[in-house]
Amino acid sequence: MHRGAHTLAAEATELYEGSRSKVARFIGAEPEQLVFTRGATTAINYIAYGWGLNHLKEGDKILVTIMEHHANLVPWQLISRYTGAELVYLELNDDLTVDTSTLDQVLTDDVAIVAFSGMSNVTGALGPIDVLAEAARSVGAISVLDGAQLVPHTPVDVADLGVDFLAFSAHKMLGPTGIGALWGKPERLEEMEPTEGGGEMINTVERNESTWAPVPHKFEAGTPPIAEAIGFGAAVDYLDAVGMDTIAAHEREITAYTLDRLSEIPDLTIYGPRDVTLRGSAVSFELGDVHPHDIATILDQDGIAVRAGHHCARPLMKYLKIPATARASFYLYNVPEEVDALVESLYKARKLFGLT
């Protein structure tokens, strides 16, 4: 692909680059602004090492929120070790949305990066994207948006977001695993160094130095994930056909129904905003003192799949003073009858664990 002159190579290249165009168009971007990665985690690491390692210095600060997934936290911790930068945090309001009231205190001129999630994978809370993007601009910092939970669930146009970088994954939007995307403003991508070297990403190679291919190929070393990229393109075709406005409206309805039904259950605690305009469709909860893993086991016996654990968000769990939650996640294919089945199974769990 890209290299072969024969028919199959040309067809593979056309399909691969065609998918890049589809995925870019899905978020309102140009193809040359979109880099294929192994997922949102890899995309954020590209930013951390490709931009952060070359621009951060001792005394700089990286502003994150306490609700971040490890993918948007651990890379910044690692880069801080190498550069001397320091992590600072925004915490949460009572409804577990991000508390921006302390921005004036933490947003100083030495903040170089503001990194935040568009939607919490634990509480479903939407991130204050416009506020944090503008805050970053006001001090000359770059803004990094973890869109892994956002892009699959609501219409996204990078021109409206106002951020410098956006990371997201195919497998959360009906696509294959092992592929995602990094979007960046052209000037930011030019400022980045590649984090992997090898074939495909070079322009020239001499004995002691090399020059890089133009963005986005500059960041795509080695044999690309051709099949995965084509699958990614097929997924966005499907989502486009359904309509992201339709998907967002459906999710608001089923999330509202879920919150109402779960609120009926005694001893059940829901984590996250109750206002569906402030949240997405990931609903985390506890049932009395029953461990979430036990809840998940009982639900599984009834054919109901939930996630149980810390959800790769341990700092948030410590902030909430809980070890774990159970999480039910809803998408375009879920229906109210499945919520009813979840509630019925949770009542069964209450009885089994002596909560009635």
Side-chain angles (χ1 to χ4, degrees):
M1 202 197 79
H2 288 135
R3 290 165 277 188
H6 56 81
T7 299
L8 290 178
E11 289 178 354
T13 299
E14 183 179 357
L15 289 168
Y16 182 81
E17 293 300 337
S19 287
R20 189 194 306 276
S21 296
K22 290 177 182 180
V23 176
R25 186 172 59 249
F26 187 76
I27 59 168
E30 298 298 324
E32 60 270 20
Q33 299 169 345
L34 188 120
V35 179
F36 281 132
T37 69
R38 288 188 295 273
T41 299
T42 301
I44 295 169
N45 274 274
Y46 277 15
I47 304 165
Y49 288 90
W51 195 94
L53 194 59
N54 294 281
H55 291 83
L56 292 173
K57 61 185 184 303
E58 188 168 356
D60 284 343
K61 293 180 180 177
I62 303 168
L63 177 61
V64 296
T65 83
I66 198 64
M67 76 176 189
E68 297 309 309
H69 188 283
H70 296 164
N72 200 30
L73 179 58
V74 176
W76 306 119
Q77 293 174 340
L78 291 169
I79 287 301
S80 294
R81 289 186 194 175
Y82 302 140
T83 63
E86 173 191 1
L87 268 71
V88 291
Y89 286 84
L90 288 173
E91 301 195 353
L92 305 179
N93 297 307
D94 290 342
D95 64 356
L96 304 187
T97 55
V98 176
D99 181 4
T100 58
S101 67
T102 60
L103 261 177
D104 289 343
Q105 302 170 35
V106 297
L107 191 71
T108 54
D109 288 340
D110 47 10
V111 172
I113 296 173
V114 181
F116 52 95
S117 173
M119 184 186 296
S120 170
N121 71 309
V122 177
T123 66
L126 295 169
I129 298 172
D130 54 346
V131 173
L132 295 181
E134 174 56 33
R137 284 193 297 273
S138 71
V139 294
I142 68 162
S143 49
V144 178
L145 176 59
D146 175 1
Q149 301 293 331
L150 183 73
V151 174
H153 299 286
T154 189
V156 168
D157 189 323
V158 292
D160 297 331
L161 293 177
V163 297
D164 292 289
F165 292 107
L166 170 68
F168 56 105
S169 293
H171 75 275
K172 295 184 182 297
M173 45 198 292
L174 307 182
T177 58
I179 189 167
L182 165 63
W183 170 85
K185 290 182 176 178
E187 62 272 25
R188 296 307 186 195
L189 292 171
E190 292 294 342
E191 291 170 357
M192 286 174 58
E193 287 295 313
T195 58
E196 294 182 318
E200 201 65 36
M201 49 75 66
I202 52 88
N203 182 27
T204 63
V205 178
E206 305 296 339
R207 286 183 178 233
N208 296 310
E209 63 180 6
S210 299
T211 59
W212 315 134
V215 175
H217 303 290
K218 168 183 175 181
F219 303 107
E220 296 179 2
T223 302
I226 303 167
E228 291 84 353
I230 295 168
F232 198 174
V236 300
D237 281 344
Y238 182 85
L239 295 177
D240 275 334
V242 176
M244 291 307 297
D245 286 320
T246 300
I247 291 171
H250 172 74
E251 288 192 14
R252 282 192 296 271
E253 290 178 6
I254 199 160
T255 302
Y257 184 70
T258 301
L259 295 174
D260 286 344
R261 291 298 326 269
L262 290 180
S263 297
E264 301 170 5
I265 303 174
D267 308 307
L268 189 140
T269 301
I270 299 171
Y271 291 95
R274 300 301 179 93
D275 183 347
V276 294
T277 66
L278 300 177
R279 62 166 303 134
S281 57
V283 182
S284 288
F285 57 90
E286 279 188 309
L287 183 61
D289 60 357
V290 182
H291 196 283
H293 289 163
D294 294 327
I295 294 173
T297 299
I298 298 302
L299 295 178
D300 180 61
Q301 291 173 357
D302 287 338
I304 299 168
V306 299
R307 178 81 180 268
H310 55 70
H311 312 296
C312 297
R314 285 192 169 185
L316 175 57
M317 293 294 151
K318 289 184 178 180
Y319 180 87
L320 297 174
K321 299 179 181 178
I322 54 176
T325 68
R327 185 190 68 199
S329 301
F330 300 91
Y331 202 22
L332 75 168
Y333 41 70
N334 292 112
V335 294
E337 289 78 7
E338 292 172 306
V339 179
D340 296 337
L342 168 66
V343 171
E344 182 180 350
S345 191
L346 285 169
Y347 271 112
K348 183 187 299 184
R350 288 189 76 251
K351 184 176 182 179
L352 179 65
F353 289 103
L355 294 178
T356 57

